[in-house]
Amino acid sequence: MDQKINILIVEPGKEPRPAAVEDTLEAFQQIVGGPIEAGCYLPQRVMLICNGEGKNMNLPPNRPNPTDSGDTICGTFLLCSFEGERFASLSPAQQTQFQAYFALPGSEGGSGQ
């Protein structure tokens, strides 16, 4: 039986929003709209998961890639924590930090990037 984990969903042109989703490959693929690419490791044991084919599928630009200043993430992505090889829920502190980090420019608490 799959359990739900607490994540942040970041859609192009929208503020990051918390969600509780099934901890399954299928659920993550549905959110990002295709094959997932995990591997953008952020501080506090947070992982950014996006559509690995987002640019090739001409998905709309979303946010600058926080680990590659010359790159942009295209399409919806999600943020979750991880424990070893498993995805895990974001803590309330992680949710707050990354909602502010990925806030749209000009919004309250935005990073201005």
Side-chain angles (χ1 to χ4, degrees):
M1 182 164 123
D2 295 310
Q3 65 177 17
K4 290 196 173 196
I5 61 171
N6 297 315
I7 65 168
L8 283 177
I9 297 175
V10 185
E11 298 171 281
K14 296 182 179 179
E15 293 296 325
R17 64 180 170 87
V21 300
E22 294 292 327
D23 182 14
T24 64
L25 175 64
E26 294 79 15
F28 286 14
Q29 288 175 327
Q30 186 173 8
I31 292 166
V32 303
I36 67 168
E37 179 178 303
C40 185
Y41 297 98
L42 302 172
Q44 294 191 29
R45 299 187 58 81
V46 172
M47 181 180 291
L48 187 153
I49 298 173
C50 63
N51 184 326
E53 297 293 320
K55 288 185 181 134
N56 294 338
M57 295 171 64
N58 292 319
L59 296 179
N62 191 339
R63 304 291 200 280
N65 185 331
T67 61
D68 182 351
S69 62
D71 190 30
T72 299
I73 300 165
C74 293
T76 299
F77 64 87
L78 64 92
L79 301 167
C80 65
S81 187
F82 58 95
E83 296 172 0
E85 299 281 322
R86 295 199 46 86
F87 297 128
S89 286
L90 293 172
S91 70
Q94 289 169 322
Q95 285 191 10
T96 299
Q97 178 182 352
F98 287 96
Q99 276 182 296
Y101 184 87
F102 286 108
L104 294 172
S107 65
E108 199 63 32
S111 64
Q113 291 183 349

